[in-house]
Amino acid sequence: MALLIKNGTVVTADETFAADVLIEGSTIREVRAGIPANGHTVVDASGLLVLPGGVDAHTHLDMPFGGTTSADDFETGTRAAAIGGTTTIVDFAIQARGTKMRNALDTWWKKAEGKACIDYGLHMIVTDLGTSGLEDMDDMVREGVASFKLFMAYPNVLMVDDATIFKALKQTAKNGALVCMHAENGSVIDVIVQQTLAEGKTAPVYHALTRPTTAEAEAVHRAIALAEIAGAPVYIVHLSSEDALNQVREARDRGLPAFAETCPQYLLLSIEDQMPGKSFDEAKYVFTPPLRKKKNQAKLWDGLKQDHLQVVSTDHCPFCFADQKALGKDDFTKIPNGGPGIENRMQLIHHHGVNAGRLSLNRFVEITSTAPARIFGMYPRKGTIAAGSDADIVLWGPKEKHTISAATHNMRVDYSMFEGFEVVGNARQVYSRGELIVENGKYIGKAGRGTYLRRDARGGAWC
Ligand code: URP
Ligand code: ZN
Ligand code: ZN
């Protein structure tokens, strides 16, 4: 028996139209007005928007980092994602220095096994190309790992030099994968950090004050320049500032295949509001790149509208305040970097983007679902509502009110970065490959039902 979603308003990146959606098994079969009921199970979507499930291309579940491990595992993190209307994530496996990427892939598959509630892909964080790293990259592409993250920050931990970045970019020019760049000048930041600590400045706000926007812009510029020389596309992750955005815009204006994402925290939070430098509570907002001055927010929203930025992802990397952020009580460099957000991305961008008149509904769908699916090689299986696509569908109540709070959220972390934020618009029902997995804020699917996505290495072909 098929499932028929009737009377809803379908929203894709291109169109908004009244239509019914017929689902057979895990796949969308037909999208048009007036599909007859014909004994199908009918779901009445009157008054609801029928959206493609959200795609969050940047999450860190069960990730060892900063002397601890991110608080959400693949079960709690993907469950929270689903409740918020996200049906696909792309997480990061980390190559340990001196080891094969395949070991990391196996480790991350095991982390997800029996736990993932929604479908997931994996990027590979490259820490070392060694002697066989380039072949390793090709090996990963064959396994559906169609993107690699490299770090220009975190010296002695994850940072790689320009030669490594350039070699990786050249390899992706051949194998079609996409390099994702953490773009901050880590060496310069390290000098500023050491000077600041030597002056006795140890509070959380100094994490932000030691990472100037120019250090981000310089690295974005360098990443794009290296990609241009290599003849490869590049994707800048978690872009946080106007200075950095200007570099991406300039490159795109020249026709280069440079892409970038930002995150809700950079669009909605600021140094002025969240980090006045008064208490250790501000450790809740220690992530990298850091929060910026408020004046950057309007520029980032405008960048999303104008397609200088293509994607909003979360960089979900939760650490509990009580026992994890507290590691840095006397030294901001010991605060684990990262913040939670996987559950709230769709609500926040719908409310502050669409309701606030900054984005059309179609652009909302594009930046939260369609564009990440395309860029990361999952389109049209994910990221749209069309015959043949996976039936990953969110029935969205555009008028539903919700107050974000750690007291009620589903992420396994003891605070919310958006505590008390009131949003209008929320997921009423969520389907993943045709299965109803969320109903009125409750996850009703099984853990482990999510499957690994083998992604196509063709992100760079899309611009
Ligand atoms: O602070 C952050 N962003 N933590 C996660 C790791 C990263 O750089 O994305
Ligand atoms: Zn990063
Ligand atoms: Zn990240």
Side-chain angles (χ1 to χ4, degrees):
M1 196 164 48
L3 188 70
L4 182 61
I5 299 175
K6 274 197 94 58
N7 310 319
T9 301
V10 173
V11 187
T12 68
D14 303 317
E15 297 175 277
T16 305
F17 55 106
D20 303 335
V21 180
L22 184 67
I23 298 165
E24 268 173 25
S26 60
T27 309
I28 297 173
R29 279 288 159 240
E30 210 180 345
V31 184
R32 71 170 167 92
I35 301 178
N38 275 353
H40 304 314
T41 303
V42 174
V43 176
D44 183 16
S46 300
L48 300 177
L49 303 178
V50 182
L51 310 178
V55 176
D56 188 344
H58 189 150
T59 67
H60 301 279
L61 302 176
D62 197 1
M63 183 178 85
F65 197 48
T68 182
T69 301
S70 60
D72 270 315
D73 63 13
F74 272 79
E75 181 170 345
T76 60
T78 56
R79 190 167 60 211
I83 289 167
T86 289
T87 52
T88 301
I89 60 161
V90 191
D91 205 85
F92 291 84
I94 308 179
Q95 177 205 22
R97 284 226 164 91
T99 67
K100 305 286 287 176
M101 293 176 200
R102 180 158 287 275
N103 296 346
L105 183 59
D106 287 341
T107 302
W108 258 261
W109 275 340
K110 283 205 190 85
K111 285 175 190 273
E113 200 179 296
K115 291 194 168 180
C117 298
I118 55 174
D119 293 347
Y120 70 97
L122 291 169
H123 312 277
M124 180 62 61
I125 291 177
V126 175
T127 57
D128 175 11
L129 284 179
T131 46
S132 63
L134 299 179
E135 295 92 79
D136 261 25
M137 288 177 73
D138 292 348
D139 184 34
M140 290 300 98
V141 169
R142 283 190 291 273
E143 293 288 8
V145 177
S147 41
F148 299 88
K149 182 174 178 186
L150 285 88
F151 282 79
M152 300 169 116
Y154 299 122
N156 306 316
V157 185
L158 295 168
M159 189 168 122
V160 289
D161 61 13
D162 288 353
T164 302
I165 293 168
F166 185 59
K167 283 181 203 165
L169 282 161
K170 275 177 72 92
Q171 200 65 12
T172 59
K174 286 190 243 164
N175 66 24
L178 182 61
V179 165
C180 301
M181 201 67 81
H182 180 126
E184 287 184 297
N185 188 319
S187 309
V188 167
I189 287 169
D190 209 33
V191 173
I192 303 172
V193 164
Q194 295 315 321
Q195 281 168 353
T196 304
L197 284 176
E199 288 164 17
K201 295 169 176 166
T202 58
V205 68
Y206 290 107
H207 172 79
L209 299 181
T210 52
R211 308 183 89 89
T213 56
T214 330
E216 185 182 22
E218 183 279 326
V220 170
H221 181 88
R222 186 160 32 106
I224 293 172
L226 296 177
E228 186 175 7
I229 303 168
V234 66
Y235 179 94
I236 309 297
V237 292
H238 46 45
L239 186 142
S240 68
S241 66
E242 179 188 7
D243 286 345
L245 175 63
N246 287 341
Q247 299 298 323
V248 176
R249 193 187 50 227
E250 187 270 339
R252 290 178 63 81
D253 285 350
R254 289 198 292 122
L256 292 176
F259 309 102
E261 63 175 25
T262 190
C263 311
Q265 51 271 34
Y266 303 120
L267 292 161
L268 298 169
L269 309 179
S270 65
I271 294 212
E272 290 95 324
D273 289 345
Q274 274 70 36
M275 298 192 102
K278 293 203 172 126
S279 79
F280 187 72
D281 232 47
E282 295 167 25
K284 292 173 180 170
Y285 306 98
V286 167
F287 40 76
T288 308
L291 284 182
R292 302 303 191 183
K293 292 244 174 76
K294 220 179 167 91
K295 63 179 185 189
N296 289 276
Q297 293 173 359
K299 305 292 178 185
L300 296 178
W301 281 110
D302 190 55
L304 284 168
K305 187 171 178 179
Q306 308 289 341
D307 199 36
H308 306 316
L309 296 169
Q310 291 69 47
V311 172
V312 174
S313 59
T314 58
D315 192 11
H316 176 77
C317 189
F319 296 105
C320 287
F321 181 71
D323 59 340
Q324 295 186 294
K325 292 288 186 181
L327 294 169
K329 204 124 195 60
D330 303 316
D331 175 350
F332 69 88
T333 64
K334 299 203 164 57
I335 301 169
N337 285 198
I342 201 166
E343 187 169 345
N344 305 120
R345 180 181 67 123
M346 304 287 279
Q347 299 157 349
L348 289 166
I349 302 305
H350 176 267
H351 185 80
H352 292 279
V354 179
N355 294 352
R358 293 173 169 128
L359 302 172
S360 69
L361 260 179
N362 308 95
R363 185 64 181 156
F364 162 64
V365 166
E366 187 163 28
I367 62 180
T368 57
S369 177
T370 315
R374 277 185 195 273
I375 291 172
F376 290 105
M378 297 176 278
Y379 186 87
R381 182 172 166 196
K382 307 291 188 189
T384 193
I385 295 194
S389 295
D390 278 2
D392 289 2
I393 293 176
V394 179
L395 299 189
W396 186 264
K399 299 264 159 52
E400 281 180 29
K401 293 191 174 143
H402 178 69
T403 303
I404 296 172
S405 172
T408 51
H409 74 197
N410 297 277
M411 299 177 286
R412 192 166 61 186
V413 59
D414 60 359
Y415 74 96
S416 170
M417 293 200 290
F418 304 99
E419 185 68 37
F421 274 50
E422 292 178 1
V423 289
V424 179
N426 205 355
R428 170 92 59 90
Q429 288 190 337
V430 179
Y431 294 83
S432 165
R433 280 179 283 101
E435 181 186 342
L436 180 64
I437 59 167
V438 173
E439 176 118 63
N440 294 325
K442 294 265 172 302
Y443 182 75
I444 56 172
K446 281 211 176 83
R449 60 165 300 288
T451 59
Y452 172 67
L453 291 166
R454 304 181 85 85
R455 297 178 294 117
D456 292 338
R458 62 188 162 113
W462 182 76
C463 69

